[in-house]
Amino acid sequence: MRRLVFCLLLAATMPSLAADVVQPDPALVSVTGEGTVAAAPDMVTVTVGVVTQADAAADALAANNSAMARLNDVLDGFDIADGDRRTSNFNVSPQYDRRSNDGRAPEISSYEVSNQLAIRYRDIERLGELLDAVVAAGSNRVNGLTFGNVDSATYMDEARQLAVENALHRARLYAEAAGGRVGRVVSISEGGGPQPRPLAGRMMMAEAAAVPISAGENEYRAVVSVVVELE
């Protein structure tokens, strides 16, 4: 009878004993993967503008407005939409004659007016022709050439996919070297701030253009950290 009671008590405590058994944490491997995609640029952002000077502010402004009107006519001729033009700077400032050395405050000698447009242009092959035309129209400020891609998000997604594939490939190498194999993916995290990077490229000169342009390529790069279980 005592043996029967002991067996019953032991059976009653077995579930709780099994529940107290701690399962070991799975072995993990953490790797970093990189993916890059190169793409020829299909758009450019450039700042063009006009700086004028005159004795009177009104005269400097009138000269600037006239030059900007000619500049916008050129942009119309290259089919640059209004939505691809944005005033990035407009300034009217006095210019001082600082040659006086008799201790008096410098006097205003003239006025300067600056008006600049940031434009987006999608015909890279004609960029040299465009720059030549805006300078011929009176633009004496051209700077800030930045080449990009209209569909940059697609290129970044391709780079991210390649980065994950690269990370999993590395994880498999480590697992096989350790005599195991990869299991489920525990986590994936992306490195911060992926941005296209310009690469050197060929020199282009559009027909009848005086400005040679090197567009090169944009490199889209993604970095991810992947953690997987080892089986």
Side-chain angles (χ1 to χ4, degrees):
M1 182 65 179
R2 289 180 180 178
R3 180 176 297 177
L4 177 60
V5 171
F6 175 76
C7 291
L8 291 174
L9 290 173
L10 181 61
T13 58
M14 284 298 291
S16 62
L17 291 174
D20 292 336
V21 175
V22 178
Q23 296 296 324
D25 292 332
L28 303 175
V29 60
S30 178
V31 292
T32 299
E34 299 181 8
T36 58
V37 174
D42 54 20
M43 66 172 292
V44 62
T45 302
V46 59
T47 300
V48 298
V50 177
V51 176
T52 55
Q53 286 187 347
D55 292 340
D59 293 337
L61 180 60
N64 196 282
N65 289 344
S66 179
M68 287 300 295
R70 294 193 302 270
L71 176 59
N72 277 292
D73 287 341
V74 169
L75 301 183
D76 290 340
F78 280 82
D79 297 323
I80 298 177
D82 290 341
D84 288 329
R85 312 178 197 183
R86 182 180 62 191
T87 299
S88 60
N89 179 64
F90 178 79
N91 187 52
V92 179
S93 58
Q95 305 299 299
Y96 294 92
D97 184 358
R98 302 182 185 278
R99 293 174 296 179
S100 176
N101 57 4
D102 58 3
R104 293 181 302 173
E107 296 181 354
I108 296 176
S109 60
S110 63
Y111 288 86
E112 180 179 277
V113 176
S114 174
N115 194 345
Q116 293 182 323
L117 284 176
I119 63 173
R120 288 179 298 195
Y121 189 51
R122 294 174 171 81
D123 189 352
I124 300 296
E125 295 294 332
R126 296 188 66 195
L127 177 58
E129 184 182 348
L130 170 65
L131 297 179
D132 187 55
V134 298
V135 171
S139 175
N140 51 13
R141 288 291 186 273
V142 179
N143 52 50
L145 277 172
T146 303
F147 293 96
N149 294 96
V150 174
D151 199 11
S152 59
T154 296
Y155 294 120
M156 273 308 308
D157 285 346
E158 291 179 12
R160 291 183 178 105
Q161 291 175 344
L162 291 174
V164 173
E165 293 173 6
N166 178 246
L168 293 178
H169 172 71
R170 292 183 179 183
R172 285 190 290 269
L173 288 177
Y174 290 133
E176 291 170 2
R181 62 179 184 177
V182 296
R184 71 183 184 90
V185 175
V186 177
S187 68
I188 299 176
S189 60
E190 183 176 13
Q195 293 291 334
R197 184 178 68 181
L199 300 177
R202 61 191 177 91
M203 188 73 72
M204 300 187 306
M205 184 180 289
E207 222 178 285
V211 182
I213 297 298
S214 180
E217 290 184 326
N218 288 325
E219 182 184 80
Y220 295 85
R221 178 174 179 266
V223 178
V224 297
S225 296
V226 177
V227 179
V228 298
E229 291 183 352
L230 289 179
E231 294 180 350

